[in-house]
Each structure stands twice: as C-alpha cells, then as structure tokens.
Amino acid sequence: MLVFITAAALTLLISGASLTLAAASGSQNGDNAKPFSASSSDNGQDSSQVAPMIMQTMTIYNGLLTYPAPHWITSPKDVGNFKASREQTKSSFTFEQIPKTHDFENWTMLYGVYGWHLPDYDFKRFIAESLNALALGCKEQAKSKLVSAEGGSVIMTYHCAALVDPLVKNGKDTESGFLYMSHVGSSYVKVYQAWRSSNKDRDTPAWPINDASVTNAIERMKRITYTPRQ
C-alpha cells in the first residue's frame, strides 16, 4: 500500500501539466533475468534495506499517471536533483529526467515519461511499436522480456547489446532498461528507466545493473498506475 505524506509534497507546474511528488513506503520484489543480474556493483539498492519511495502524479491526456520518482531521488530533499527535458504537442508528450550532474547529450541514466493520444491504436499495437522504436537504436536484435501483464498494464525488460553508432557516447555502447506501458481509452503512456554502459564492463563491478537494482526497478514499475481522470 502506498502511503502519501502530504507534508513532503511538492507541486511543479510544467507547461500546464501538474506534477506532484510525495513520499511513500516501499517493499521489494525481484526478477533475476539476464542481462540485468550480471555484476556485483553497489549501484543498486539493498533489498533488505528499503528506502522510502518518492511518488509523482501527472495528468496525461485522459488519464492520471502515478509513478515513482527517478531511482536516484530517495528523499524529499533530493527532489531537485535532476535536469529535465519536455516536449508536448496535441497528441504526444515527453518528459525526461537525468541526474543534475549529467548531460542529455551523453546520458548514462535516463528516466522518461511519454504519453500519446492515439484514437486509431489498440494496446497490442502500442506495445509492438514502442518496442520497435527502441530497437531502431540497436545494431543487433534487441532483447525484451515480459515481467508482468495485469490490470491492463505491461512491465517489460529491454536490452540492446550494441547501440547504433550515433548513440554511442564515451564508449557507452549498450542500453538496458525497464518499461511500463498502459492506456486509458485512446490515451497511452510509457515509463522508461534506462542505463547506458560499456559492453566491456559486463561481469565487472562497473556494470550498472545488479540483482538489487533489478529488484528495485521492477518494484518501482509495479507501483505505477494509470487511471481515468476524475
């Protein structure tokens, strides 16, 4: 159960979209599927010591999205620790965050919220095209795995072992991530938590994803809801 702490709430207005952050309690569930459990890095969260989870809400087209803040934000005092990029049109919305010390030109951690109004789509087509859009950035066949499919929402893992050359910055030639996808009528949303890293770092402490971070990322995705606007 999510317990919102109203005293810690912070509301931001982002070009008409209301974004609310609040602290919530967390727990852990896991998935040890490769390639996400390939190192002993300390970048993940210890599943035996669960920090409070910060939740955000955003109205996107016909639905209300409630979702965790980026994993590097662990307390209300950290809510300003990000850079953001936003684009919005009549039928699409993008809100991407990276740590404040990073740059969008060569990011290594990305947390994105995406929305579309697509009257001619069904959910199956939306999922297929979302995965295909990611795969376009991969030289070889990208790999994805279904984590859960319930309540009209889908959670998946994604891994590209060889990014196309224009996306490779500072030797970071792989991309791994977790996807949440859902819809309310003709309104569709995707939440994507991703890392870019060097393939040569696989099976070393430099690899950014381990069992604890996989557990944490999946638990965060399971906290997301997209419900009809009131």
PDB file of all heavy atoms in Angstrom, residues 4-5 10 21 31 46 54 58 66-67 77 79 102 105 112 119-120 126 132 155 158 171 181:
ATOM      1  N   PHE A   4       0.936   8.267   1.165  1.00  0.00           N
ATOM      2  CA  PHE A   4       1.452   9.564   0.782  1.00  0.00           C
ATOM      3  C   PHE A   4       1.610  10.452   2.009  1.00  0.00           C
ATOM      4  O   PHE A   4       0.739  10.496   2.864  1.00  0.00           O
ATOM      5  CB  PHE A   4       0.528  10.254  -0.234  1.00  0.00           C
ATOM      6  CG  PHE A   4       0.600   9.645  -1.598  1.00  0.00           C
ATOM      7  CD1 PHE A   4      -0.239   8.612  -1.957  1.00  0.00           C
ATOM      8  CD2 PHE A   4       1.527  10.101  -2.510  1.00  0.00           C
ATOM      9  CE1 PHE A   4      -0.162   8.050  -3.206  1.00  0.00           C
ATOM     10  CE2 PHE A   4       1.611   9.540  -3.773  1.00  0.00           C
ATOM     11  CZ  PHE A   4       0.756   8.511  -4.119  1.00  0.00           C
ATOM     12  N   ILE A   5       2.721  11.147   2.101  1.00  0.00           N
ATOM     13  CA  ILE A   5       2.992  12.065   3.192  1.00  0.00           C
ATOM     14  C   ILE A   5       2.786  13.474   2.667  1.00  0.00           C
ATOM     15  O   ILE A   5       3.636  14.032   1.967  1.00  0.00           O
ATOM     16  CB  ILE A   5       4.426  11.880   3.720  1.00  0.00           C
ATOM     17  CG1 ILE A   5       4.625  10.430   4.181  1.00  0.00           C
ATOM     18  CG2 ILE A   5       4.724  12.844   4.860  1.00  0.00           C
ATOM     19  CD1 ILE A   5       6.049  10.120   4.568  1.00  0.00           C
ATOM     20  N   LEU A  10       5.402  18.209  -3.076  1.00  0.00           N
ATOM     21  CA  LEU A  10       5.884  19.360  -3.829  1.00  0.00           C
ATOM     22  C   LEU A  10       5.190  19.352  -5.171  1.00  0.00           C
ATOM     23  O   LEU A  10       5.197  18.344  -5.864  1.00  0.00           O
ATOM     24  CB  LEU A  10       7.402  19.277  -4.022  1.00  0.00           C
ATOM     25  CG  LEU A  10       8.018  20.339  -4.941  1.00  0.00           C
ATOM     26  CD1 LEU A  10       7.881  21.728  -4.319  1.00  0.00           C
ATOM     27  CD2 LEU A  10       9.469  20.024  -5.204  1.00  0.00           C
ATOM     28  N   LEU A  21       4.939  15.446  -6.202  1.00  0.00           N
ATOM     29  CA  LEU A  21       5.840  14.475  -5.608  1.00  0.00           C
ATOM     30  C   LEU A  21       5.469  14.302  -4.151  1.00  0.00           C
ATOM     31  O   LEU A  21       5.198  15.269  -3.455  1.00  0.00           O
ATOM     32  CB  LEU A  21       7.295  14.931  -5.694  1.00  0.00           C
ATOM     33  CG  LEU A  21       7.967  14.907  -7.071  1.00  0.00           C
ATOM     34  CD1 LEU A  21       7.532  16.068  -7.917  1.00  0.00           C
ATOM     35  CD2 LEU A  21       9.464  14.929  -6.897  1.00  0.00           C
ATOM     36  N   ASP A  31      13.376 -10.074  -9.935  1.00  0.00           N
ATOM     37  CA  ASP A  31      13.452 -10.822 -11.174  1.00  0.00           C
ATOM     38  C   ASP A  31      14.928 -10.879 -11.531  1.00  0.00           C
ATOM     39  O   ASP A  31      15.548  -9.853 -11.756  1.00  0.00           O
ATOM     40  CB  ASP A  31      12.656 -10.103 -12.268  1.00  0.00           C
ATOM     41  CG  ASP A  31      12.670 -10.872 -13.571  1.00  0.00           C
ATOM     42  OD1 ASP A  31      13.463 -11.815 -13.697  1.00  0.00           O
ATOM     43  OD2 ASP A  31      11.884 -10.512 -14.457  1.00  0.00           O
ATOM     44  N   ASP A  46      20.000  -2.203  -1.750  1.00  0.00           N
ATOM     45  CA  ASP A  46      19.970  -3.427  -0.971  1.00  0.00           C
ATOM     46  C   ASP A  46      18.533  -3.778  -0.651  1.00  0.00           C
ATOM     47  O   ASP A  46      17.816  -3.001  -0.023  1.00  0.00           O
ATOM     48  CB  ASP A  46      20.764  -3.215   0.329  1.00  0.00           C
ATOM     49  CG  ASP A  46      20.863  -4.478   1.164  1.00  0.00           C
ATOM     50  OD1 ASP A  46      20.116  -5.429   0.884  1.00  0.00           O
ATOM     51  OD2 ASP A  46      21.685  -4.494   2.098  1.00  0.00           O
ATOM     52  N   ILE A  54       9.615   7.874  -3.384  1.00  0.00           N
ATOM     53  CA  ILE A  54       9.002   9.143  -3.728  1.00  0.00           C
ATOM     54  C   ILE A  54       8.088   8.930  -4.922  1.00  0.00           C
ATOM     55  O   ILE A  54       8.516   8.416  -5.957  1.00  0.00           O
ATOM     56  CB  ILE A  54      10.058  10.203  -4.075  1.00  0.00           C
ATOM     57  CG1 ILE A  54      11.129  10.292  -2.991  1.00  0.00           C
ATOM     58  CG2 ILE A  54       9.398  11.555  -4.299  1.00  0.00           C
ATOM     59  CD1 ILE A  54      10.605  10.677  -1.632  1.00  0.00           C
ATOM     60  N   MET A  58       0.972  12.825 -12.539  1.00  0.00           N
ATOM     61  CA  MET A  58       0.920  13.711 -13.690  1.00  0.00           C
ATOM     62  C   MET A  58      -0.314  13.377 -14.521  1.00  0.00           C
ATOM     63  O   MET A  58      -0.586  12.209 -14.797  1.00  0.00           O
ATOM     64  CB  MET A  58       2.183  13.559 -14.538  1.00  0.00           C
ATOM     65  CG  MET A  58       2.268  14.503 -15.726  1.00  0.00           C
ATOM     66  SD  MET A  58       3.769  14.238 -16.708  1.00  0.00           S
ATOM     67  CE  MET A  58       5.028  14.812 -15.558  1.00  0.00           C
ATOM     68  N   THR A  66       0.426   7.883 -11.895  1.00  0.00           N
ATOM     69  CA  THR A  66       1.119   7.925 -10.610  1.00  0.00           C
ATOM     70  C   THR A  66       2.328   7.010 -10.726  1.00  0.00           C
ATOM     71  O   THR A  66       2.173   5.834 -11.064  1.00  0.00           O
ATOM     72  CB  THR A  66       0.207   7.464  -9.468  1.00  0.00           C
ATOM     73  OG1 THR A  66      -0.938   8.333  -9.400  1.00  0.00           O
ATOM     74  CG2 THR A  66       0.942   7.503  -8.133  1.00  0.00           C
ATOM     75  N   TYR A  67       3.513   7.547 -10.449  1.00  0.00           N
ATOM     76  CA  TYR A  67       4.721   6.769 -10.726  1.00  0.00           C
ATOM     77  C   TYR A  67       5.855   7.217  -9.802  1.00  0.00           C
ATOM     78  O   TYR A  67       5.868   8.359  -9.321  1.00  0.00           O
ATOM     79  CB  TYR A  67       5.134   6.937 -12.186  1.00  0.00           C
ATOM     80  CG  TYR A  67       5.518   8.344 -12.576  1.00  0.00           C
ATOM     81  CD1 TYR A  67       6.854   8.703 -12.742  1.00  0.00           C
ATOM     82  CD2 TYR A  67       4.550   9.330 -12.776  1.00  0.00           C
ATOM     83  CE1 TYR A  67       7.215   9.990 -13.101  1.00  0.00           C
ATOM     84  CE2 TYR A  67       4.893  10.617 -13.127  1.00  0.00           C
ATOM     85  CZ  TYR A  67       6.225  10.947 -13.288  1.00  0.00           C
ATOM     86  OH  TYR A  67       6.581  12.232 -13.629  1.00  0.00           O
ATOM     87  N   LYS A  77      14.228  15.892   0.132  1.00  0.00           N
ATOM     88  CA  LYS A  77      15.257  16.923  -0.031  1.00  0.00           C
ATOM     89  C   LYS A  77      16.024  16.770  -1.340  1.00  0.00           C
ATOM     90  O   LYS A  77      16.729  17.685  -1.762  1.00  0.00           O
ATOM     91  CB  LYS A  77      16.212  16.910   1.156  1.00  0.00           C
ATOM     92  CG  LYS A  77      17.043  15.645   1.288  1.00  0.00           C
ATOM     93  CD  LYS A  77      17.934  15.706   2.517  1.00  0.00           C
ATOM     94  CE  LYS A  77      18.702  14.416   2.719  1.00  0.00           C
ATOM     95  NZ  LYS A  77      19.616  14.100   1.637  1.00  0.00           N
ATOM     96  N   VAL A  79      14.505  16.155  -4.317  1.00  0.00           N
ATOM     97  CA  VAL A  79      13.609  16.242  -5.477  1.00  0.00           C
ATOM     98  C   VAL A  79      14.124  17.175  -6.565  1.00  0.00           C
ATOM     99  O   VAL A  79      13.725  17.070  -7.716  1.00  0.00           O
ATOM    100  CB  VAL A  79      12.183  16.680  -5.045  1.00  0.00           C
ATOM    101  CG1 VAL A  79      11.532  15.618  -4.190  1.00  0.00           C
ATOM    102  CG2 VAL A  79      12.212  18.035  -4.335  1.00  0.00           C
ATOM    103  N   HIS A 102      24.568  15.194 -14.895  1.00  0.00           N
ATOM    104  CA  HIS A 102      24.732  14.551 -16.194  1.00  0.00           C
ATOM    105  C   HIS A 102      24.287  15.487 -17.313  1.00  0.00           C
ATOM    106  O   HIS A 102      23.727  16.550 -17.074  1.00  0.00           O
ATOM    107  CB  HIS A 102      23.923  13.253 -16.250  1.00  0.00           C
ATOM    108  CG  HIS A 102      24.418  12.193 -15.306  1.00  0.00           C
ATOM    109  ND1 HIS A 102      24.153  10.856 -15.483  1.00  0.00           N
ATOM    110  CD2 HIS A 102      25.164  12.262 -14.180  1.00  0.00           C
ATOM    111  CE1 HIS A 102      24.697  10.158 -14.508  1.00  0.00           C
ATOM    112  NE2 HIS A 102      25.322  11.002 -13.700  1.00  0.00           N
ATOM    113  N   GLU A 105      23.247  14.974 -23.768  1.00  0.00           N
ATOM    114  CA  GLU A 105      23.990  14.579 -24.958  1.00  0.00           C
ATOM    115  C   GLU A 105      24.698  13.239 -24.771  1.00  0.00           C
ATOM    116  O   GLU A 105      24.955  12.524 -25.736  1.00  0.00           O
ATOM    117  CB  GLU A 105      25.016  15.649 -25.325  1.00  0.00           C
ATOM    118  CG  GLU A 105      24.412  16.957 -25.805  1.00  0.00           C
ATOM    119  CD  GLU A 105      23.845  17.798 -24.670  1.00  0.00           C
ATOM    120  OE1 GLU A 105      24.165  17.494 -23.488  1.00  0.00           O
ATOM    121  OE2 GLU A 105      23.095  18.738 -24.955  1.00  0.00           O
ATOM    122  N   GLY A 112      12.229   8.393 -18.233  1.00  0.00           N
ATOM    123  CA  GLY A 112      11.334   9.085 -19.143  1.00  0.00           C
ATOM    124  C   GLY A 112       9.884   8.728 -18.957  1.00  0.00           C
ATOM    125  O   GLY A 112       9.534   7.571 -18.694  1.00  0.00           O
ATOM    126  N   PRO A 119      -6.196   7.621 -31.198  1.00  0.00           N
ATOM    127  CA  PRO A 119      -7.545   7.061 -31.368  1.00  0.00           C
ATOM    128  C   PRO A 119      -7.595   5.814 -32.244  1.00  0.00           C
ATOM    129  O   PRO A 119      -8.511   4.998 -32.098  1.00  0.00           O
ATOM    130  CB  PRO A 119      -8.322   8.218 -32.017  1.00  0.00           C
ATOM    131  CG  PRO A 119      -7.553   9.451 -31.657  1.00  0.00           C
ATOM    132  CD  PRO A 119      -6.111   9.021 -31.624  1.00  0.00           C
ATOM    133  N   ASP A 120      -6.623   5.636 -33.151  1.00  0.00           N
ATOM    134  CA  ASP A 120      -6.664   4.510 -34.080  1.00  0.00           C
ATOM    135  C   ASP A 120      -5.879   3.292 -33.594  1.00  0.00           C
ATOM    136  O   ASP A 120      -5.794   2.290 -34.295  1.00  0.00           O
ATOM    137  CB  ASP A 120      -6.109   4.945 -35.446  1.00  0.00           C
ATOM    138  CG  ASP A 120      -6.937   6.053 -36.075  1.00  0.00           C
ATOM    139  OD1 ASP A 120      -8.162   6.062 -35.842  1.00  0.00           O
ATOM    140  OD2 ASP A 120      -6.358   6.902 -36.786  1.00  0.00           O
ATOM    141  N   PHE A 126       0.278  -0.621 -29.714  1.00  0.00           N
ATOM    142  CA  PHE A 126       1.094   0.336 -28.978  1.00  0.00           C
ATOM    143  C   PHE A 126       2.336  -0.337 -28.400  1.00  0.00           C
ATOM    144  O   PHE A 126       3.448   0.198 -28.487  1.00  0.00           O
ATOM    145  CB  PHE A 126       0.271   0.971 -27.860  1.00  0.00           C
ATOM    146  CG  PHE A 126       1.077   1.874 -26.969  1.00  0.00           C
ATOM    147  CD1 PHE A 126       1.495   3.110 -27.420  1.00  0.00           C
ATOM    148  CD2 PHE A 126       1.422   1.474 -25.686  1.00  0.00           C
ATOM    149  CE1 PHE A 126       2.255   3.947 -26.598  1.00  0.00           C
ATOM    150  CE2 PHE A 126       2.172   2.299 -24.865  1.00  0.00           C
ATOM    151  CZ  PHE A 126       2.588   3.541 -25.315  1.00  0.00           C
ATOM    152  N   ASN A 132       9.543  -1.551 -30.981  1.00  0.00           N
ATOM    153  CA  ASN A 132      10.219  -1.337 -32.263  1.00  0.00           C
ATOM    154  C   ASN A 132      10.974  -0.015 -32.276  1.00  0.00           C
ATOM    155  O   ASN A 132      12.083   0.073 -32.822  1.00  0.00           O
ATOM    156  CB  ASN A 132       9.205  -1.365 -33.397  1.00  0.00           C
ATOM    157  CG  ASN A 132       9.861  -1.233 -34.767  1.00  0.00           C
ATOM    158  OD1 ASN A 132      10.659  -2.060 -35.173  1.00  0.00           O
ATOM    159  ND2 ASN A 132       9.524  -0.157 -35.482  1.00  0.00           N
ATOM    160  N   ILE A 155       4.679  -4.669 -17.904  1.00  0.00           N
ATOM    161  CA  ILE A 155       6.029  -4.317 -17.495  1.00  0.00           C
ATOM    162  C   ILE A 155       6.985  -5.256 -18.209  1.00  0.00           C
ATOM    163  O   ILE A 155       6.775  -6.475 -18.216  1.00  0.00           O
ATOM    164  CB  ILE A 155       6.219  -4.424 -15.970  1.00  0.00           C
ATOM    165  CG1 ILE A 155       5.287  -3.448 -15.244  1.00  0.00           C
ATOM    166  CG2 ILE A 155       7.673  -4.146 -15.587  1.00  0.00           C
ATOM    167  CD1 ILE A 155       5.266  -3.622 -13.741  1.00  0.00           C
ATOM    168  N   TYR A 158      14.259  -4.542 -21.181  1.00  0.00           N
ATOM    169  CA  TYR A 158      14.773  -4.278 -22.532  1.00  0.00           C
ATOM    170  C   TYR A 158      16.298  -4.235 -22.466  1.00  0.00           C
ATOM    171  O   TYR A 158      16.876  -3.697 -21.509  1.00  0.00           O
ATOM    172  CB  TYR A 158      14.251  -2.943 -23.059  1.00  0.00           C
ATOM    173  CG  TYR A 158      14.906  -2.505 -24.347  1.00  0.00           C
ATOM    174  CD1 TYR A 158      14.477  -3.024 -25.564  1.00  0.00           C
ATOM    175  CD2 TYR A 158      15.972  -1.608 -24.343  1.00  0.00           C
ATOM    176  CE1 TYR A 158      15.099  -2.654 -26.749  1.00  0.00           C
ATOM    177  CE2 TYR A 158      16.594  -1.230 -25.520  1.00  0.00           C
ATOM    178  CZ  TYR A 158      16.154  -1.757 -26.725  1.00  0.00           C
ATOM    179  OH  TYR A 158      16.766  -1.396 -27.893  1.00  0.00           O
ATOM    180  N   GLY A 171      32.077   5.673 -25.223  1.00  0.00           N
ATOM    181  CA  GLY A 171      32.207   4.223 -25.139  1.00  0.00           C
ATOM    182  C   GLY A 171      31.005   3.497 -24.560  1.00  0.00           C
ATOM    183  O   GLY A 171      31.037   2.271 -24.431  1.00  0.00           O
ATOM    184  N   MET A 181       3.985   0.081 -19.596  1.00  0.00           N
ATOM    185  CA  MET A 181       3.076   0.571 -20.635  1.00  0.00           C
ATOM    186  C   MET A 181       1.640   0.321 -20.224  1.00  0.00           C
ATOM    187  O   MET A 181       1.310  -0.740 -19.690  1.00  0.00           O
ATOM    188  CB  MET A 181       3.384  -0.110 -21.966  1.00  0.00           C
ATOM    189  CG  MET A 181       4.731   0.270 -22.554  1.00  0.00           C
ATOM    190  SD  MET A 181       5.194  -0.662 -24.050  1.00  0.00           S
ATOM    191  CE  MET A 181       5.736  -2.215 -23.299  1.00  0.00           C
TER     192      MET A 181
END
